[in-house]
Amino acid sequence: MTDFAKTRALFRLPEGVIYLDGNSLGPLPIAAEARVARTLTEEWGKQLIRGWNSAGWMSAPRSIGDRVARLIGAPAGSVVMGDTLSIKVFQALAAAAALRPDRRIILSDSGNFPSDLYMAEGLVAALGRGYQLQVVAPEAVEAAIDDRVAVMMLTEVDYRTGRLHDMAALTEQAHAAGVVTVWDLAHSAGALPVALERCDVDFAVGCTYKYLNGGPGAPAFIYVAPRLAGVAQPILSGWLGHEAPFAFDLDYRAGPGIERMRVGTPPIIALAALDAALDVWDGVAMEDVRRQSIVLSTLFIEQVEARCASLTLASSRDAKQRGSQVSFRHKDAYPVMQALIEAGVIGDFRAPDCLRFGFTPLYIGAAEVLDAVATLERILNDGSWDQPRYRQKAAVT
Ligand SMILES: Cc1ncc(COP(=O)(O)O)c(C=O)c1O
């Protein structure tokens, strides 16, 4: 059994704050402070350019990729770190489309994160030649899979409502129609068990600043099924994905396996923070995380529904149908959330009307869930949220 009291002690959480936003940005793992300091002073400071070899900087995207692989049901050697998730979405999508050159449709759903859809729009425009992005309702994906579709690109857990797609069933159905699959795991990695290898997924991408606690702007990851890693074209053909980067050849030759999905110079300081954040997962079983996250999110739903009548549940009531976050609708969700944050309970707002809360057993327990609901109930009942200053929209909501 995972010891959640032990994992909780590994995070720096400010006094008086209940943090229900680890689905947006995970908190600081204490070990990252010393790890980043060491990277700065001992590695960059003393080893200078030699650090690329002597401190293992050049192999970090692969070695850290292996640590992430374990958390998403992928074999060692199938995941590499780098760039932002939006870039990795583009790369996976373009590589997937190139594997089905006779088809022109990229299928996605309206619950997908906008950046994924924007990247697909950009790719479609760049490819021309009749490519199109088909966006259907999440419940209509299954019916839209047919032999005209080149790629099915889905985010497993809906960022707004937490709705969970059935990765195994949809991937199987897509493959039966000859469709290549790209799964975005932004709200899955570190939140629930993912079985990329068992589901036979083709490509997957994800970020590490949410449930993996890698820090703001932490590097993204890309997974390519080993059966495809040697044939998929990286499309973003940067020098560090080249077969021999330091030969400085004038023509591009894709590197071996997952190496080819690297693009340019890796962000070493950010990777150091992420590596320390991944230490937290040693000894953690994802099944335990899932079980406890369901306990917490179910408790939250029950309590909010019993005590906050003005909120309407936007997430599925069936825990098996949702990820590790819960959203409630309120017509004034933005000011309500700002008042809640000021009272020490941090969640976030997702347009147009969602109050969103993430449940992360690594550092949140039932007592905090109950305290959070009590604060929410108080703010809604006393009307203290209804002030002009809470309606001032910040750049990041
Ligand atoms: C599902 C999903 N995809 C893509 C992105 C974009 O990620 P990035 O800003 O790291 O490129 C996000 C950001 O939250 C996301 O939630």
Side-chain angles (χ1 to χ4, degrees), residues 84-87 89 112-113 115-116 155 157 159 184 186-187 207 209-210 218 220:
T84 67
L85 175 51
S86 301
I87 300 287
V89 165
N112 207 342
F113 191 75
S115 195
D116 292 28
T155 294
V157 178
Y159 76 100
D184 182 335
H187 302 271
C207 61
Y209 46 74
K210 299 181 191 290

Short mmCIF file of all heavy atoms in Angstrom, two decimals, residues 84-87 89 112-113 115-116 155 157 159 184 186-187 207 209-210 218 220, ligand 1:
data_model
loop_
_atom_site.label_atom_id
_atom_site.label_comp_id
_atom_site.label_asym_id
_atom_site.label_seq_id
_atom_site.Cartn_x
_atom_site.Cartn_y
_atom_site.Cartn_z
N THR A 84 7.31 21.64 -25.55
CA THR A 84 6.05 21.79 -24.81
C THR A 84 5.05 20.77 -25.35
O THR A 84 5.24 20.22 -26.44
CB THR A 84 5.45 23.20 -25.02
OG1 THR A 84 5.04 23.31 -26.39
CG2 THR A 84 6.44 24.29 -24.68
N LEU A 85 3.99 20.58 -24.61
CA LEU A 85 3.00 19.60 -25.04
C LEU A 85 2.40 19.99 -26.40
O LEU A 85 2.19 19.13 -27.26
CB LEU A 85 1.92 19.47 -23.96
CG LEU A 85 0.73 18.57 -24.28
CD1 LEU A 85 1.18 17.20 -24.78
CD2 LEU A 85 -0.16 18.44 -23.05
N SER A 86 2.13 21.27 -26.60
CA SER A 86 1.55 21.68 -27.89
C SER A 86 2.46 21.24 -29.05
O SER A 86 1.98 20.75 -30.08
CB SER A 86 1.36 23.20 -27.94
OG SER A 86 0.52 23.61 -26.89
N ILE A 87 3.76 21.41 -28.87
CA ILE A 87 4.71 21.00 -29.92
C ILE A 87 4.66 19.49 -30.11
O ILE A 87 4.68 18.98 -31.24
CB ILE A 87 6.16 21.41 -29.51
CG1 ILE A 87 6.27 22.92 -29.33
CG2 ILE A 87 7.19 20.88 -30.52
CD1 ILE A 87 6.26 23.73 -30.59
N VAL A 89 2.18 17.53 -29.49
CA VAL A 89 0.91 17.18 -30.16
C VAL A 89 1.11 17.29 -31.67
O VAL A 89 0.76 16.40 -32.44
CB VAL A 89 -0.23 18.12 -29.69
CG1 VAL A 89 -1.43 18.02 -30.61
CG2 VAL A 89 -0.63 17.80 -28.25
N ASN A 112 -11.80 18.23 -26.40
CA ASN A 112 -10.34 18.26 -26.40
C ASN A 112 -9.85 19.63 -25.98
O ASN A 112 -10.55 20.64 -26.12
CB ASN A 112 -9.79 17.91 -27.79
CG ASN A 112 -8.40 17.30 -27.70
OD1 ASN A 112 -7.71 17.44 -26.69
ND2 ASN A 112 -7.98 16.64 -28.75
N PHE A 113 -8.63 19.69 -25.51
CA PHE A 113 -8.05 20.97 -25.11
C PHE A 113 -7.84 21.81 -26.37
O PHE A 113 -7.32 21.31 -27.37
CB PHE A 113 -6.72 20.73 -24.39
CG PHE A 113 -6.19 21.96 -23.73
CD1 PHE A 113 -6.76 22.43 -22.55
CD2 PHE A 113 -5.14 22.67 -24.27
CE1 PHE A 113 -6.27 23.57 -21.93
CE2 PHE A 113 -4.65 23.81 -23.66
CZ PHE A 113 -5.22 24.26 -22.48
N SER A 115 -5.70 23.85 -27.47
CA SER A 115 -4.39 23.88 -28.13
C SER A 115 -4.19 22.67 -29.06
O SER A 115 -3.59 22.78 -30.12
CB SER A 115 -3.24 23.93 -27.10
OG SER A 115 -2.04 24.30 -27.72
N ASP A 116 -4.73 21.53 -28.65
CA ASP A 116 -4.61 20.33 -29.51
C ASP A 116 -5.35 20.57 -30.83
O ASP A 116 -4.86 20.20 -31.91
CB ASP A 116 -5.21 19.10 -28.80
CG ASP A 116 -4.38 18.68 -27.59
OD1 ASP A 116 -3.72 19.56 -26.99
OD2 ASP A 116 -4.40 17.50 -27.23
N THR A 155 -7.84 13.54 -26.14
CA THR A 155 -7.31 13.70 -24.79
C THR A 155 -8.12 12.77 -23.91
O THR A 155 -9.36 12.83 -23.92
CB THR A 155 -7.41 15.17 -24.33
OG1 THR A 155 -6.53 15.94 -25.16
CG2 THR A 155 -6.99 15.33 -22.89
N VAL A 157 -8.60 12.44 -20.63
CA VAL A 157 -9.43 13.06 -19.59
C VAL A 157 -9.71 14.50 -20.01
O VAL A 157 -8.79 15.29 -20.23
CB VAL A 157 -8.71 13.05 -18.22
CG1 VAL A 157 -9.57 13.75 -17.17
CG2 VAL A 157 -8.40 11.63 -17.78
N TYR A 159 -10.25 18.22 -20.00
CA TYR A 159 -9.67 19.21 -19.07
C TYR A 159 -10.74 19.96 -18.29
O TYR A 159 -10.50 20.41 -17.18
CB TYR A 159 -8.79 20.21 -19.84
CG TYR A 159 -9.57 21.25 -20.62
CD1 TYR A 159 -9.76 22.53 -20.13
CD2 TYR A 159 -10.17 20.92 -21.84
CE1 TYR A 159 -10.49 23.48 -20.83
CE2 TYR A 159 -10.91 21.86 -22.54
CZ TYR A 159 -11.07 23.13 -22.03
OH TYR A 159 -11.80 24.06 -22.72
N ASP A 184 -3.56 12.21 -25.83
CA ASP A 184 -2.97 13.25 -24.99
C ASP A 184 -3.26 12.86 -23.53
O ASP A 184 -4.42 12.70 -23.14
CB ASP A 184 -3.62 14.60 -25.35
CG ASP A 184 -3.03 15.77 -24.57
OD1 ASP A 184 -2.51 15.54 -23.46
OD2 ASP A 184 -3.13 16.91 -25.06
N ALA A 186 -2.31 14.61 -20.79
CA ALA A 186 -2.05 15.75 -19.90
C ALA A 186 -2.73 15.58 -18.54
O ALA A 186 -2.15 15.88 -17.50
CB ALA A 186 -2.51 17.05 -20.54
N HIS A 187 -3.97 15.08 -18.56
CA HIS A 187 -4.73 14.97 -17.31
C HIS A 187 -4.82 13.51 -16.83
O HIS A 187 -5.66 13.19 -15.99
CB HIS A 187 -6.13 15.57 -17.50
CG HIS A 187 -6.07 17.00 -17.94
ND1 HIS A 187 -6.03 18.05 -17.06
CD2 HIS A 187 -5.96 17.54 -19.18
CE1 HIS A 187 -5.93 19.19 -17.73
NE2 HIS A 187 -5.89 18.91 -19.03
N CYS A 207 2.07 16.31 -20.55
CA CYS A 207 2.91 17.30 -19.88
C CYS A 207 3.30 16.77 -18.50
O CYS A 207 2.75 15.79 -18.02
CB CYS A 207 2.18 18.63 -19.78
SG CYS A 207 0.67 18.54 -18.83
N TYR A 209 3.93 19.11 -15.79
CA TYR A 209 3.77 20.15 -14.75
C TYR A 209 2.48 19.99 -13.96
O TYR A 209 2.25 20.72 -13.00
CB TYR A 209 3.87 21.56 -15.34
CG TYR A 209 3.06 21.79 -16.61
CD1 TYR A 209 1.68 21.92 -16.58
CD2 TYR A 209 3.71 21.87 -17.84
CE1 TYR A 209 0.97 22.13 -17.74
CE2 TYR A 209 3.00 22.08 -19.01
CZ TYR A 209 1.62 22.20 -18.96
OH TYR A 209 0.91 22.40 -20.12
N LYS A 210 1.61 19.04 -14.36
CA LYS A 210 0.36 18.87 -13.62
C LYS A 210 0.58 17.81 -12.53
O LYS A 210 1.23 18.08 -11.54
CB LYS A 210 -0.76 18.47 -14.58
CG LYS A 210 -1.04 19.53 -15.66
CD LYS A 210 -2.18 19.06 -16.55
CE LYS A 210 -2.35 19.92 -17.79
NZ LYS A 210 -2.84 21.26 -17.52
N ALA A 218 7.47 22.73 -17.19
CA ALA A 218 8.29 21.50 -17.25
C ALA A 218 8.14 20.85 -18.63
O ALA A 218 7.09 20.97 -19.27
CB ALA A 218 7.85 20.54 -16.15
N ALA A 220 7.59 18.43 -21.86
CA ALA A 220 6.56 17.45 -22.22
C ALA A 220 7.22 16.11 -22.54
O ALA A 220 8.45 15.98 -22.57
CB ALA A 220 5.79 17.95 -23.43
C1 LIG B 1 -4.94 18.38 -22.67
C2 LIG B 1 -3.93 19.46 -22.92
N1 LIG B 1 -3.27 19.47 -24.10
C3 LIG B 1 -2.37 20.44 -24.37
C4 LIG B 1 -2.07 21.44 -23.47
C5 LIG B 1 -1.08 22.50 -23.82
O1 LIG B 1 0.12 22.28 -23.16
P1 LIG B 1 1.37 23.27 -23.29
O2 LIG B 1 0.92 24.62 -22.87
O3 LIG B 1 2.37 22.70 -22.33
O4 LIG B 1 1.84 23.25 -24.70
C6 LIG B 1 -2.72 21.44 -22.22
C7 LIG B 1 -2.42 22.48 -21.21
O5 LIG B 1 -2.91 22.50 -20.13
C8 LIG B 1 -3.68 20.43 -21.95
O6 LIG B 1 -4.35 20.40 -20.79
#
